[in-house]
Amino acid sequence: MTDSQKPRILMCPADYFGIEYEINPWMSVQKGTDPERSSAQWKALHQTLVDLGVEIDLMEPVKGLPDLVFTANAGLVYHDLFIPSRFRYKVRQGETPRFEEWARSRGFRIVELPAGENFEGAGDALFCGDALFAGYRFRSDVQSHQWIGERLGVEVLPMELIDPRFYHLDTCFCPLAPGVAVYYPGAFDEYGRSVILDRIPTLIEVRAEEAVFFSCNAVVVGSTVVLNQGAPKLTADLERLGYQTRALDLSEFIKSGGSAKCLTLRIDGEEAANWKSAA
Ligand code: ARG
């Protein structure tokens, strides 16, 4: 799309972020969020990524779409193709036209899923090497992943998510490079765990007490991993593998069931993200 060798990420400022409904176990309208803190936390993430050399593309925030800030759920980017999300819950469905409009304005070719299938974008579909790891049950449907695999001509590895707190794949699985990933085993059934173990030779397991800080929901930029604070064991494991880490306070977004990775979408493709980090 551009000649830039810089990693490119889509973000949406947190101006209208808040808890206006409850669609996952982390959200409480009654408890709400602190707009000043969420705004400051978002800006710190933005600045961290800029400092790491990422080119950030910004979307216009929209009043009444508090979760638009979670651009990982925009859709799936694959080379010059963009497959827009089909949100399970009505409260998020208004985001799709905004994300489509953005993708069109950037010259992506839009590929629409067949009607009636739920799919929540890079939140549930992550490349590790050539294979697309795809989470289903709480948000995305397994049929949508199969359709995407055929349409893109890529191998899809469907994994059922079993813990409602880890309702998107990116809350419990983070590819670092081909054959290298971080995951929280408790979010998967036995079959999913065995596929991950079988396909990914170098795996860092996250403990339950660190997984609840959304530690798997990390942004990988080259050999740096940006994540929410509260995961000393994971941080040490990553550093042992040669990664640097940047821990931020993203607590306001955890209240909505999201963290660093959810707030970003790799525009040069999720598959590019982990190929480049292998360099
Ligand atoms: N409140 C949002 C929801 O429940 C959070 C989305 C988090 N996104 C992600 N990619 N895990 O839909």
Side-chain angles (χ1 to χ4, degrees):
M1 317 244 83
T2 77
D3 296 334
S4 166
Q5 285 307 300
K6 274 187 162 189
R8 291 190 302 129
I9 282 179
L10 173 68
M11 292 182 78
C12 175
D15 304 22
Y16 302 113
F17 169 70
I19 313 290
E20 296 177 15
Y21 43 77
E22 296 171 5
I23 55 172
N24 68 53
W26 304 89
M27 300 175 89
S28 160
V29 172
Q30 209 200 333
K31 288 192 192 132
T33 51
D34 177 332
E36 254 169 57
R37 287 191 59 185
S38 54
S39 189
Q41 291 177 358
W42 184 91
K43 284 182 185 145
L45 173 65
H46 177 267
Q47 192 56 48
T48 302
L49 295 174
V50 169
D51 292 345
L52 288 170
V54 177
E55 192 183 305
I56 306 284
D57 191 347
L58 283 184
M59 291 228 343
E60 189 79 30
V62 178
K63 197 163 192 272
L65 295 178
D67 280 341
L68 196 67
V69 71
F70 297 114
T71 52
N73 298 127
L76 180 67
V77 173
Y78 187 69
H79 303 296
D80 66 333
L81 301 181
F82 181 75
I83 306 179
S85 286
R86 293 276 169 75
F87 288 97
R88 178 169 300 269
Y89 295 109
K90 202 162 179 16
V91 284
R92 291 201 68 183
Q93 288 168 1
E95 296 176 37
T96 300
R98 308 289 174 154
F99 287 130
E100 277 197 32
E101 197 181 303
W102 165 82
R104 218 167 262 124
S105 74
R106 298 298 185 267
F108 284 99
R109 283 196 290 142
I110 312 279
V111 175
E112 301 276 1
L113 276 158
E117 296 197 356
N118 297 314
F119 172 62
E120 298 204 355
D124 267 334
L126 296 164
F127 280 96
C128 190
D130 287 333
L132 186 61
F133 289 72
Y136 68 91
R137 179 163 153 185
F138 297 111
R139 298 298 182 88
S140 300
D141 297 330
V142 72
Q143 295 89 331
S144 65
H145 295 319
Q146 263 143 15
W147 188 90
I148 288 169
E150 278 164 36
R151 177 65 181 77
L152 302 182
V154 298
E155 182 187 15
V156 169
L157 301 171
M159 356 223 91
E160 183 163 4
L161 303 174
I162 61 163
D163 182 334
R165 294 171 306 163
F166 302 97
Y167 57 94
H168 276 141
L169 183 66
D170 69 359
T171 65
C172 49
F173 177 73
C174 176
L176 297 171
V180 190
V182 168
Y183 87 126
Y184 168 53
F188 299 91
D189 66 3
E190 220 178 291
Y191 174 77
R193 278 198 295 271
S194 72
V195 173
I196 291 176
L197 283 165
D198 196 45
R199 300 296 297 250
I200 305 182
T202 309
L203 272 174
I204 301 180
E205 271 193 27
V206 175
R207 292 179 178 163
E209 62 268 31
E210 295 196 352
V212 292
F213 290 106
F214 271 60
S215 314
C216 299
N217 197 255
V219 185
V220 184
V221 182
S223 59
T224 304
V225 179
V226 181
L227 76 175
N228 186 37
Q229 62 194 11
K233 157 99 173 34
L234 172 60
T235 303
D237 287 348
L238 285 165
E239 285 168 3
R240 208 168 301 121
L241 270 189
Y243 288 88
Q244 295 87 48
T245 56
R246 299 278 175 93
L248 301 175
D249 178 6
L250 293 164
S251 50
E252 291 303 311
F253 297 97
I254 307 285
K255 294 177 184 168
S256 184
S259 183
K261 165 74 183 184
C262 305
L263 294 166
T264 66
L265 178 75
R266 270 305 276 247
I267 313 174
D268 43 349
E270 298 294 320
E271 84 290 0
N274 64 78
W275 278 110
K276 278 181 193 151
S277 65

mmCIF file of all heavy atoms in Angstrom, residues 12 16 42 55 57 59 73 76 88 128 147 158 186 189 200 205 207 209 247 256:
data_model
loop_
_atom_site.group_PDB
_atom_site.id
_atom_site.type_symbol
_atom_site.label_atom_id
_atom_site.label_comp_id
_atom_site.label_asym_id
_atom_site.label_seq_id
_atom_site.Cartn_x
_atom_site.Cartn_y
_atom_site.Cartn_z
ATOM 1 N N CYS A 12 -7.561 4.233 17.053
ATOM 2 C CA CYS A 12 -8.660 5.195 17.097
ATOM 3 C C CYS A 12 -8.643 5.854 18.478
ATOM 4 O O CYS A 12 -8.748 5.148 19.491
ATOM 5 C CB CYS A 12 -9.979 4.457 16.855
ATOM 6 S SG CYS A 12 -11.416 5.513 17.033
ATOM 7 N N TYR A 16 -14.294 8.860 22.885
ATOM 8 C CA TYR A 16 -15.664 8.446 23.251
ATOM 9 C C TYR A 16 -15.697 7.052 23.865
ATOM 10 O O TYR A 16 -16.732 6.409 23.904
ATOM 11 C CB TYR A 16 -16.579 8.512 22.018
ATOM 12 C CG TYR A 16 -16.625 9.887 21.411
ATOM 13 C CD1 TYR A 16 -16.090 10.125 20.146
ATOM 14 C CD2 TYR A 16 -17.192 10.956 22.110
ATOM 15 C CE1 TYR A 16 -16.109 11.393 19.587
ATOM 16 C CE2 TYR A 16 -17.222 12.232 21.565
ATOM 17 C CZ TYR A 16 -16.670 12.444 20.302
ATOM 18 O OH TYR A 16 -16.701 13.696 19.766
ATOM 19 N N TRP A 42 -4.328 5.640 26.673
ATOM 20 C CA TRP A 42 -4.308 5.446 25.212
ATOM 21 C C TRP A 42 -3.149 6.238 24.593
ATOM 22 O O TRP A 42 -2.420 5.735 23.739
ATOM 23 C CB TRP A 42 -5.657 5.871 24.608
ATOM 24 C CG TRP A 42 -5.739 5.614 23.142
ATOM 25 C CD1 TRP A 42 -6.207 4.491 22.526
ATOM 26 C CD2 TRP A 42 -5.298 6.492 22.083
ATOM 27 N NE1 TRP A 42 -6.083 4.607 21.161
ATOM 28 C CE2 TRP A 42 -5.531 5.823 20.864
ATOM 29 C CE3 TRP A 42 -4.734 7.766 22.054
ATOM 30 C CZ2 TRP A 42 -5.232 6.393 19.628
ATOM 31 C CZ3 TRP A 42 -4.418 8.335 20.819
ATOM 32 C CH2 TRP A 42 -4.669 7.649 19.624
ATOM 33 N N GLU A 55 4.375 3.534 12.227
ATOM 34 C CA GLU A 55 3.604 4.596 11.594
ATOM 35 C C GLU A 55 2.141 4.359 11.986
ATOM 36 O O GLU A 55 1.588 3.297 11.697
ATOM 37 C CB GLU A 55 3.789 4.460 10.087
ATOM 38 C CG GLU A 55 3.314 5.622 9.282
ATOM 39 C CD GLU A 55 3.487 5.328 7.799
ATOM 40 O OE1 GLU A 55 4.616 5.010 7.376
ATOM 41 O OE2 GLU A 55 2.474 5.387 7.095
ATOM 42 N N ASP A 57 -1.819 5.103 11.815
ATOM 43 C CA ASP A 57 -2.916 5.652 11.026
ATOM 44 C C ASP A 57 -4.065 5.859 12.013
ATOM 45 O O ASP A 57 -4.412 4.928 12.753
ATOM 46 C CB ASP A 57 -3.282 4.613 9.950
ATOM 47 C CG ASP A 57 -4.216 5.170 8.897
ATOM 48 O OD1 ASP A 57 -4.787 6.264 9.108
ATOM 49 O OD2 ASP A 57 -4.389 4.501 7.862
ATOM 50 N N MET A 59 -7.980 6.710 13.078
ATOM 51 C CA MET A 59 -9.391 6.796 12.665
ATOM 52 C C MET A 59 -10.061 7.885 13.472
ATOM 53 O O MET A 59 -9.680 8.143 14.607
ATOM 54 C CB MET A 59 -10.135 5.523 13.054
ATOM 55 C CG MET A 59 -9.760 4.333 12.304
ATOM 56 S SD MET A 59 -11.141 3.385 11.686
ATOM 57 C CE MET A 59 -12.600 3.858 12.541
ATOM 58 N N ASN A 73 -10.575 -5.276 16.153
ATOM 59 C CA ASN A 73 -11.835 -5.872 15.717
ATOM 60 C C ASN A 73 -12.391 -5.268 14.430
ATOM 61 O O ASN A 73 -13.523 -5.567 14.045
ATOM 62 C CB ASN A 73 -12.898 -5.763 16.821
ATOM 63 C CG ASN A 73 -12.498 -6.501 18.077
ATOM 64 O OD1 ASN A 73 -12.503 -5.947 19.158
ATOM 65 N ND2 ASN A 73 -12.114 -7.767 17.937
ATOM 66 N N LEU A 76 -10.049 -8.284 9.130
ATOM 67 C CA LEU A 76 -8.778 -8.973 8.915
ATOM 68 C C LEU A 76 -8.092 -8.378 7.681
ATOM 69 O O LEU A 76 -8.704 -8.298 6.617
ATOM 70 C CB LEU A 76 -9.015 -10.479 8.716
ATOM 71 C CG LEU A 76 -7.753 -11.307 8.477
ATOM 72 C CD1 LEU A 76 -6.857 -11.347 9.710
ATOM 73 C CD2 LEU A 76 -8.121 -12.745 8.068
ATOM 74 N N ARG A 88 -20.955 -9.830 16.595
ATOM 75 C CA ARG A 88 -22.028 -10.643 17.169
ATOM 76 C C ARG A 88 -23.089 -9.762 17.823
ATOM 77 O O ARG A 88 -24.277 -9.986 17.650
ATOM 78 C CB ARG A 88 -21.470 -11.631 18.201
ATOM 79 C CG ARG A 88 -22.555 -12.475 18.857
ATOM 80 C CD ARG A 88 -21.996 -13.622 19.663
ATOM 81 N NE ARG A 88 -21.206 -14.549 18.872
ATOM 82 C CZ ARG A 88 -21.682 -15.627 18.255
ATOM 83 N NH1 ARG A 88 -22.962 -15.921 18.325
ATOM 84 N NH2 ARG A 88 -20.870 -16.419 17.576
ATOM 85 N N CYS A 128 0.291 -17.108 12.649
ATOM 86 C CA CYS A 128 1.580 -17.432 13.240
ATOM 87 C C CYS A 128 2.286 -18.200 12.128
ATOM 88 O O CYS A 128 1.896 -19.331 11.802
ATOM 89 C CB CYS A 128 1.435 -18.265 14.511
ATOM 90 S SG CYS A 128 3.011 -18.428 15.399
ATOM 91 N N TRP A 147 -14.595 -20.216 5.751
ATOM 92 C CA TRP A 147 -14.820 -19.441 4.522
ATOM 93 C C TRP A 147 -13.591 -18.580 4.214
ATOM 94 O O TRP A 147 -13.126 -18.522 3.074
ATOM 95 C CB TRP A 147 -16.082 -18.588 4.706
ATOM 96 C CG TRP A 147 -16.522 -17.912 3.453
ATOM 97 C CD1 TRP A 147 -17.380 -18.395 2.510
ATOM 98 C CD2 TRP A 147 -16.090 -16.618 2.993
ATOM 99 N NE1 TRP A 147 -17.509 -17.491 1.494
ATOM 100 C CE2 TRP A 147 -16.729 -16.390 1.762
ATOM 101 C CE3 TRP A 147 -15.238 -15.639 3.491
ATOM 102 C CZ2 TRP A 147 -16.552 -15.217 1.025
ATOM 103 C CZ3 TRP A 147 -15.050 -14.471 2.757
ATOM 104 C CH2 TRP A 147 -15.700 -14.273 1.541
ATOM 105 N N PRO A 158 -8.843 -23.811 13.485
ATOM 106 C CA PRO A 158 -9.886 -23.310 14.363
ATOM 107 C C PRO A 158 -9.674 -23.775 15.795
ATOM 108 O O PRO A 158 -9.341 -24.935 16.030
ATOM 109 C CB PRO A 158 -11.181 -23.934 13.803
ATOM 110 C CG PRO A 158 -10.778 -24.812 12.668
ATOM 111 C CD PRO A 158 -9.293 -24.949 12.664
ATOM 112 N N GLY A 186 -5.356 -22.205 29.767
ATOM 113 C CA GLY A 186 -6.682 -22.342 30.373
ATOM 114 C C GLY A 186 -7.827 -21.812 29.511
ATOM 115 O O GLY A 186 -8.993 -22.107 29.781
ATOM 116 N N ASP A 189 -9.688 -25.566 24.876
ATOM 117 C CA ASP A 189 -10.004 -26.955 25.217
ATOM 118 C C ASP A 189 -8.774 -27.816 24.870
ATOM 119 O O ASP A 189 -7.773 -27.303 24.345
ATOM 120 C CB ASP A 189 -11.284 -27.431 24.518
ATOM 121 C CG ASP A 189 -11.161 -27.505 23.005
ATOM 122 O OD1 ASP A 189 -10.063 -27.239 22.462
ATOM 123 O OD2 ASP A 189 -12.158 -27.830 22.343
ATOM 124 N N ILE A 200 3.436 -25.059 17.243
ATOM 125 C CA ILE A 200 4.332 -23.964 17.640
ATOM 126 C C ILE A 200 5.425 -24.504 18.558
ATOM 127 O O ILE A 200 5.192 -24.751 19.746
ATOM 128 C CB ILE A 200 3.520 -22.828 18.304
ATOM 129 C CG1 ILE A 200 2.411 -22.397 17.322
ATOM 130 C CG2 ILE A 200 4.418 -21.650 18.674
ATOM 131 C CD1 ILE A 200 1.558 -21.278 17.777
ATOM 132 N N GLU A 205 4.147 -20.173 28.118
ATOM 133 C CA GLU A 205 2.855 -20.336 28.803
ATOM 134 C C GLU A 205 2.659 -19.214 29.802
ATOM 135 O O GLU A 205 3.552 -18.929 30.599
ATOM 136 C CB GLU A 205 2.858 -21.643 29.597
ATOM 137 C CG GLU A 205 2.377 -22.799 28.800
ATOM 138 C CD GLU A 205 2.095 -24.022 29.688
ATOM 139 O OE1 GLU A 205 1.778 -23.857 30.886
ATOM 140 O OE2 GLU A 205 2.212 -25.128 29.141
ATOM 141 N N ARG A 207 0.708 -17.814 33.094
ATOM 142 C CA ARG A 207 -0.032 -18.313 34.260
ATOM 143 C C ARG A 207 -1.371 -17.600 34.386
ATOM 144 O O ARG A 207 -1.488 -16.429 34.001
ATOM 145 C CB ARG A 207 0.749 -18.006 35.528
ATOM 146 C CG ARG A 207 2.020 -18.771 35.669
ATOM 147 C CD ARG A 207 2.682 -18.346 36.960
ATOM 148 N NE ARG A 207 3.906 -19.090 37.171
ATOM 149 C CZ ARG A 207 4.845 -18.722 38.029
ATOM 150 N NH1 ARG A 207 4.685 -17.626 38.754
ATOM 151 N NH2 ARG A 207 5.914 -19.451 38.177
ATOM 152 N N GLU A 209 -2.754 -16.203 36.871
ATOM 153 C CA GLU A 209 -2.746 -14.918 37.591
ATOM 154 C C GLU A 209 -2.162 -13.778 36.753
ATOM 155 O O GLU A 209 -2.409 -12.613 37.043
ATOM 156 C CB GLU A 209 -2.025 -15.040 38.947
ATOM 157 C CG GLU A 209 -0.565 -15.414 38.886
ATOM 158 C CD GLU A 209 -0.320 -16.920 38.984
ATOM 159 O OE1 GLU A 209 -1.192 -17.707 38.531
ATOM 160 O OE2 GLU A 209 0.738 -17.318 39.494
ATOM 161 N N ALA A 247 6.049 -2.363 29.511
ATOM 162 C CA ALA A 247 4.802 -2.573 30.257
ATOM 163 C C ALA A 247 4.143 -1.221 30.509
ATOM 164 O O ALA A 247 4.779 -0.288 30.991
ATOM 165 C CB ALA A 247 5.106 -3.277 31.568
ATOM 166 N N SER A 256 -13.059 -2.875 29.979
ATOM 167 C CA SER A 256 -13.930 -3.137 28.831
ATOM 168 C C SER A 256 -13.592 -4.487 28.199
ATOM 169 O O SER A 256 -14.179 -4.887 27.194
ATOM 170 C CB SER A 256 -13.750 -2.019 27.804
ATOM 171 O OG SER A 256 -14.638 -2.178 26.728
#
